[in-house]
Amino acid sequence: MAGAAGPGTGPGAARGDGDDSLYPIAVLIDELRNEDVQLRLNSIKKLSTIALALGVERTRTELLPFLTDTIYDEDEVLLALAEQLGNFTGLVGGPDFAHCLLPPLESLATVEETVVRDKAVESLRQISQEHTPVALEAHFVPLVKRLASGDWFTSRTSACGLFSVCYPRASNAVKAEIRQHFRSLCSDDTPMVRRAAASKLGEFAKVLELDSVKSEIVPLFTNLASDEQDSVRLLAVEACVSIAQLLSQDDLEALVMPTLRQAAEDKSWRVRYMVADKFSELQKAVGPKITLNDLIPAFQNLLKDCEAEVRAAAAHKVKELCENLPTEGRETIIMNQILPFIKELVSDTNQHVKSALASVIMGLSTILGKENTIEHLLPLFLAQLKDECPEVRLNIISNLDCVNEVIGIRQLSQSLLPAIVELAEDAKWRVRLAIIEYMPLLAGQLGVEFFDEKLNSLCMAWLVDHVYAIREAATSNLMKLVQKFGTEWAQNTIVPKVLVMANDPNYLHRMTTLFCINALSEACGQEITTKQMLPIVLKMAGDQVANVRFNVAKSLQKIGPILDTDALQEEVKPVLQKLGQDEDMDVKYFAQEAISAVAQRLTKLDFPVKDNEEPSAPGADKNHFLRPRGPGEDTGKFVPLMSRHTESERLGWFPRRQ
Amino acid sequence: MHQPPPASFCSSSSSSGGSSCECARVGVRVSALAPAAAPCPAPRRLPRPRQPEPPSRGTSTLLPARLGPWCSPTGSPAPLSCETGCGEGSWILVCRLLVPTQVSLLSMEEDIDTRKINNSFLRDHSYATEADIISTVEFNHTGELLATGDKGGRVVIFQREQESKNQVHRRGEYNVYSTFQSHEPEFDYLKSLEIEEKINKIRWLPQQNAAYFLLSTNDKTVKLWKVSERDKRPEGYNLKDEEGRLRDPATITTLRVPVLRPMDLMVEATPRRVFANAHTYHINSISVNSDYETYMSADDLRINLWNFEITNQSFNIVDIKPANMEELTEVITAAEFHPHHCNSFVYSSSKGTIRLCDMRASALCDRHSKFFEEPEDPSNRSFFSEIISSISDVKFSHSGRYIMTRDYLTVKVWDLNMENRPIETYQVHDYLRSKLCSLYENDCIFDKFECVWNGSDSVIMTGSYNNFFRMFDRNTKRDVTLEASRENSKPRAILKPRKVCVGGKRRKDEISVDSLDFSKKILHTAWHPSENIIAVAATNNLYIFQDKVN
């Protein structure tokens, strides 16, 4: 096919007597069926442009019939089409003609790809609002019925999402029909449809009259909640939340609670998991009275469930549950009915359960207050800090701030330290990485003294870790510490240790020094940088390893803005020029980059630089064609680096021309 | 003797203009239908031609056959009673389908001479390459489609000829519907392992819209394929005229919206999902769950549960890998979901045991809820006991009440409610018991035979050697041995039961154990879900038999 050849050449080709404005549209229309998915996708995304050009009449009679049959296409095209059609009402002639959009969306609602179907349903819901009540019954409701009684379950699942939008605006006779259709989908043969119905049950219940909810939705809910497939039953739990909000306390007790109790003790762990997972929502929906009578005992059972997944889900909800209890008598309930179960979970056999608990348990301290925290919770925290599983310990450490507010961190420090040290030396580098990230937080909470005494050596040890990610994290950690403790502290404790590493026999450690200087220079300020760091960097320019040398160039570029111009002119420039003559092409390249950056700074300060016979090194630059280019270098013509065209900076990325 | 088959293909599409053409009955050559030889990225489109094949297509693919009644072991003709089928249980050959050879993957544009050559390739059995050997056979849920996978990583789908009033005898014929390359050979650079493209299993998904979906797997990767039809094509360009020439942009004064016009039916196969990187060992089974949203894949030591929509994570539900691999005593050989209860599944082991697990009980099904094992008879114990007790296939009955297992010499039917022994045991080829030593030496003892139920769970079928396959009627306790071979079959011929001589004296019509050909094995068979139509894979041939209608 020549399909790919013609279109895509752009509107520039349109000349002569033909209508210029038609050409781009013609290209778009042709590209609706281009072999390249990307072009088709682009065309579909500009469908509104095409429709606008065709006018409402031709859009209705020609474009939409064509689109109705394009369901063979790739998912991403169909998804874009489904989305476009949702906003198409204006383009087909307004609400009076909104029903023209139904056929293409109907066929999209039957494709197998869930995302496309869902998008088509979403668009249908949107369009339904634009229908007049008459049109709704004449066109939209029949569509819903067709989908609901379709042969394939894809169409029936799509129908489930449409009942709630047409119900409120339909006449009473039609309403009865809609309810009837929904009922039959709730007892469909295929679990897919029953699942779709179960997930829309709550939404549908909200638009129904209260009597119908009681007489029709509740029985459907009860049926779905006792479906033979646990994948259906677990969705009924979600519906329970919405239904519970609609009913009075008495009705709730009589109609919904038996089912909910049953779900909390379901044979299938997945259903129980769902109850645990939705616990906070359930708790809010049923109100405080039923919570105390029913949910708390159910929750206790979930906390000691035989399946670890359920226990973990329940453990996650401990804090939210406690927070949502009525403040009056909350403490007693937690102390008597929840805490004993939490105590057991601390020594659970499954690490996921323990780490789930560890991620929320600290939050209880704010609810229970200082005394209870020290007496009851602290032992649990300490036990978890000593847990064998690093994730548990990490979760405790990452939530230390909650406790800090209530009792102060000192209470914990005795147990904290060994836990931190152990994590800092964990065999898994991801664990080490995680603990490094908490260091600034810990440092802030523990104070300078404690930090210097116990943790400083750890932070320095990370700088020579054998994993790069750790060394990198350690460097940025130092920067954050300096921001916290100030430059004086840095000058006394950190900087000397970092600078010593410049003489390390391992070149990776020497490079770490440079990375540290990059990170620290800004935090430390000009004086320390110029006096202590710069000499070391300059000295390293003579390193025998090329990687160190070009990192020197990078460092000089980085710290250039902090240094004063004297230092730049007198010390940095000669060294960079020397590196610019280096035999290694990478070193040369980065030296050139640094020189241009430094030169820019010098020119900006209106400090004329003598134009020396610096070879402008376009030759060297050619070797670096793979490197990402800075802006301003994208012309073929290379401009000498030391040129004084300040306006070029103002022009940003514009090519520099003389 | 008989008429040569009319050399043409017929589409099932009612909109077709070629309704007058006859259907090819045997030796369907996919060569002329196959897509272009160069593997191209999906979607692969397979045009279904309606024009006649070149006349060179000969009669030689049809071979003489003899008729014979369906026999009981005693030799007297006895009907195989099937609730779904008719009473007279004689089996006739409906068609023999050749899976295309690699060399014949030619496009339609090839000229006729080339096609002739390739047809002759097909005709000659000896040209079948290793890649053409069928490695799995599976009917879809309605029985309208039949999929085969081969060692070359291809999937061929056959469609049943639609019934017409004047061609009643034709019912049950299957023609090529779609062919596509499902898996390609790969190399795992981290482990220095070749990953074969061989299709280990195919499973159809319940139909959800007009398209068909199937899962195919090799040793490592499961793929979800969509097979769909297209019979309309957009016509009319703005920038080109009817011949495809570019128009002068200056002449464009009005916009044209493309119009869809009917065209020849195209069947295209598109890969929808690839479920990879979850198996360290070789995948031996896949099974679709009755909840329609999940399936499982089992390898030697683990079983994973997948959601059809999610390819980047799966849940491990069974892991029998010991901490120390030296303590390994058994491997998982097959696994299947219960047909109706979405929470339960079974898996079999190389020790001859079956475990039933309930996914409701816990997320990890390391603890089984039922354990099926037959105590070993000490008198039969030998060096080979362990090898021959390894289960090669496990299948739930359609009712979900029974499970059937195949080990090297027997098929067993277990009641889910009785764990200590099978309710029925059928000897498939007990005469091989004395030959285990040589079967061990030529590795045949490790062959993995599969087994299938008929639509009403009253008959079971499994394969044997020498192109023999066996059927056992569970109600009448009768059994029969049939042969799927091209030497002795012609279309519509009634299959003659075969007998293997076990005693010293060989009667007429009997075959001696020593003359059995162990290279011709029937490992893969399939039974139509509701009718008495069976598909039997013998190396690169696929035979379709059905019970004879009066």
Side-chain angles (χ1 to χ4, degrees), chain A residues 3 18 22 29-30 33 58 69 72 75 110 112-114 152-154 191-192 195 229-230 268-269 307, chain B residues 208-209 213 226 230 234 236-240 250 253 255 260 272-273 291-292 309 342 359-360 362-363:
Chain A
L22 282 185
I29 294 179
D30 281 4
R33 33 194 285 234
R58 290 191 69 193
D69 280 320
Y72 301 112
D75 302 333
T110 62
E112 69 281 354
E113 196 58 51
T114 315
W152 310 117
F153 68 73
T154 43
M192 280 294 193
R195 274 200 295 275
Q229 294 241 353
D230 53 357
S268 167
W269 69 268
E307 173 56 43
Chain B
Q208 48 185 324
N209 57 15
F213 290 83
K226 173 185 179 179
R230 176 185 291 202
Y237 279 103
N238 284 302
L239 305 180
K240 281 184 287 185
T253 50
L255 291 173
L260 288 157
R272 299 306 302 238
R273 302 261 193 285
D291 67 7
Y292 288 29
E309 312 250 314
C342 67
M359 295 199 295
R360 289 175 303 188
S362 69

Side-chain angles (χ1 to χ4, degrees), chain B residues 144-274:
Chain B
E144 281 309 302
L145 298 180
L146 172 66
T148 64
D150 65 25
K151 286 196 173 174
R154 272 164 308 158
V155 171
V156 181
I157 299 171
F158 300 95
Q159 186 185 40
R160 191 177 186 185
E161 199 49 51
Q162 285 194 336
E163 286 194 45
S164 59
K165 281 179 191 125
N166 48 3
Q167 294 181 331
V168 183
H169 64 286
R170 283 270 159 71
R171 73 181 187 101
E173 279 186 13
Y174 282 76
N175 291 319
V176 173
Y177 180 64
S178 176
T179 307
F180 57 93
Q181 188 75 35
S182 168
H183 287 72
E184 304 275 359
E186 286 173 83
F187 191 80
D188 182 340
Y189 292 97
L190 287 178
K191 299 197 180 102
S192 276
L193 273 180
E194 268 182 73
I195 303 167
E196 281 181 60
E197 67 273 33
K198 178 190 163 206
I199 308 292
N200 288 345
K201 281 282 185 305
I202 290 176
R203 287 289 178 268
W204 290 90
L205 268 60
Q207 203 170 353
Q208 48 185 324
N209 57 15
Y212 301 96
F213 290 83
L214 61 83
L215 286 173
S216 64
T217 184
N218 68 351
D219 285 340
K220 300 288 177 194
T221 307
V222 185
K223 292 184 181 176
L224 176 66
W225 289 88
K226 173 185 179 179
V227 181
S228 56
E229 293 183 355
R230 176 185 291 202
D231 57 3
K232 280 185 198 152
R233 183 178 57 180
E235 274 177 15
Y237 279 103
N238 284 302
L239 305 180
K240 281 184 287 185
D241 59 18
E242 269 60 41
E243 275 86 51
R245 284 188 301 259
L246 278 182
R247 278 195 198 139
D248 179 5
T251 63
I252 299 171
T253 50
T254 54
L255 291 173
R256 287 173 66 181
V257 178
V259 188
L260 288 157
R261 302 240 181 266
M263 63 161 185
D264 283 355
L265 192 67
M266 295 242 295
V267 179
E268 47 187 25
T270 343
R272 299 306 302 238
R273 302 261 193 285
V274 177

